Each structure stands twice: as structure tokens, then as C-alpha cells.
Amino acid sequence: GPFIVESGAAALARIPLFSKISSKYLKLLALKSRRLDFKPGDDLIKLGTQGQFAYVILEGEVDVIIGSGKGEKKIGKRGKNMLIGELSLLSDTLTTATVRAATDVSALRIDKHVFLQLMESDSLVASQVAGWVSDRLVSSMELLNKNT
């Protein structure tokens, strides 16, 4: 309903990646995103899968985990108003971590295709996203190198 769109757009506006995008586009993105609830232990993203979605955490906390099975290692937490899985929106690489609900989590799921359409329809959005991504890639590479 309209409430989800307004609150979804407001949540998106707090994310650095989306902060410079006009509210018209953010409402469109929110409209086409789904609000989902997860229980502790549910995976939002699984390591080594083809990512189709990113998530904005509206409530709760998630753990970021590398490795699998007995080799799992928590390398971080993400919480309210944080974006996860954003590299899946922008590339076809396999996901580099598992993201698992640590608490009850409410999240807005952003579909890759919707996001790409948004970038195609607004070159300003595309250039801002590109700049943000290169910064983000550098910092996630540094994090991975620290943890390997």
C-alpha cells in the first residue's frame, strides 16, 4: 500500500547508494520492492549463489558469514538502514558471503531487474552508482584480504 511505498522510499533515501536519487525514482523502486520478514537463522543471501536481489534492512540485525559448513566465520554485522547484497544488483558475480538473520529481521528486497531499469532510465543515477560501487569494491577487497 501507500504506506509501504512512503516508508520504503524513506528507508532507501537513508542508504548512501540511493541518497542522491530523486524521490520519484525511490518511490518507484520501493513500489517494486517486497517487504519480507526473516526469523533468526534464516539466510537472506547464500554464499556462492547467483545474486538476484539486494536488501535494505528495516529492522533487526544480520550476520555476514564467509566459508561454509564447519568453516563458517562471521566477519561482520549489519543493521537497520543498511544495504546488503548490492554488488548482486550490479554484476553477475556469485555472492561472496552468506547473510543470515541474527534476530527477527524485516527487510525490503530490491530486484536486480528493477534496479537496472532505474539506472537505464536515469543517467545521473547510473553515474552516481558507478562512483559508489568503485569505492565499495575497494573497501570490500580490503576486508576480504584482511580475513584470508
Side-chain angles (χ1 to χ4, degrees):
F3 169 73
I4 295 287
V5 173
E6 290 296 332
S7 61
L12 292 172
R14 288 194 278 273
I15 309 286
L17 174 59
F18 301 130
S19 60
K20 300 197 173 66
I21 298 177
S22 78
S23 67
K24 176 181 77 172
Y25 285 121
L26 288 182
K27 282 179 185 161
L28 191 66
L29 196 56
L31 183 65
K32 296 189 172 197
S33 299
R34 290 185 57 187
R35 188 182 169 139
L36 300 173
D37 295 307
F38 298 90
K39 294 266 167 267
D42 288 350
D43 288 345
L44 286 74
I45 295 171
K46 276 189 168 55
L47 171 72
T49 55
Q50 194 75 53
Q52 292 299 319
F53 306 104
Y55 296 87
V56 174
I57 299 171
L58 302 173
E59 295 294 337
E61 278 199 332
V62 296
D63 290 317
V64 179
I65 298 162
I66 56 171
S68 58
K70 290 197 168 73
E72 281 194 353
K73 180 183 175 189
K74 289 182 189 177
I75 59 165
K77 272 196 178 314
R78 297 280 183 276
K80 189 171 174 166
N81 295 331
M82 293 183 86
L83 179 67
I84 53 170
E86 64 285 348
L87 294 178
S88 293
L89 293 179
L90 301 155
S91 71
D92 288 325
T93 55
L94 298 178
T95 54
T96 54
T98 292
V99 176
R100 185 171 295 151
T103 62
D104 284 329
V105 169
S106 199
L108 199 60
R109 187 178 77 181
I110 300 168
D111 185 296
K112 178 176 187 158
H113 300 292
V114 173
F115 185 72
L116 292 176
Q117 280 173 339
L118 177 70
M119 294 217 315
E120 281 166 17
S121 62
D122 188 333
S123 57
L124 185 64
V125 171
S127 62
Q128 281 158 351
V129 167
W132 179 87
V133 170
S134 55
D135 295 348
R136 187 69 182 69
L137 272 171
V138 168
S139 62
S140 60
M141 289 302 165
E142 285 166 0
L143 178 69
L144 283 171
N145 291 337
K146 268 195 208 111
N147 280 286
T148 48

